[in-house]
Amino acid sequence: MTTSSLNTVSEVEAEARQGLAAAADEAALEAWRTAVVGRSGSLTGVLRGLGALPEDERRAVGAAANLAKQALEDVEQRAMEQWFFRITAEAAVASRP
């Protein structure tokens, strides 16, 4: 099994985490989601390319890609929650007399 496909998964995940850390609002979070796990997203591309890999590599890369996808979705959920709490707090402060 070559490590290049596994490195690709790691690179996609690292880039996705950096992009998510830079997302400052809902539009940026949605753009991140589209770029990573959308129909033409980087991680989606890795998953779609699994069929071209040899079976033993397919299993390893597929498992790594699925773990990365789950981890990124968890991080995205926390980012959305933090953003929501931040705008809720800002609205509460702004509405005080």
Side-chain angles (χ1 to χ4, degrees):
M1 172 174 55
T2 65
T3 59
S4 65
S5 296
L6 290 173
N7 288 340
T8 300
V9 172
S10 296
E11 291 168 4
V12 166
E13 183 177 8
E15 290 173 10
R17 285 179 183 272
Q18 289 175 349
L20 186 57
D25 58 20
E26 185 178 18
L29 288 169
E30 184 58 32
W32 174 89
R33 182 169 193 45
T34 301
V36 176
V37 293
R39 295 183 95 188
S40 299
S42 55
L43 190 57
T44 303
V46 170
L47 290 167
R48 285 187 177 167
L50 290 176
L53 299 174
E55 186 175 344
D56 60 334
E57 190 173 350
R58 187 179 326 139
R59 287 184 181 140
V61 173
N66 284 327
L67 286 174
K69 184 177 181 182
Q70 184 61 52
L72 290 170
E73 287 174 345
D74 292 345
V75 172
E76 178 198 19
Q77 180 63 37
R78 286 193 299 275
M80 286 292 289
E81 290 169 357
Q82 289 173 350
W83 172 79
F84 178 76
F85 289 133
R86 186 178 73 239
I87 63 165
T88 302
E90 289 171 0
V93 168
S95 67
R96 289 186 183 163

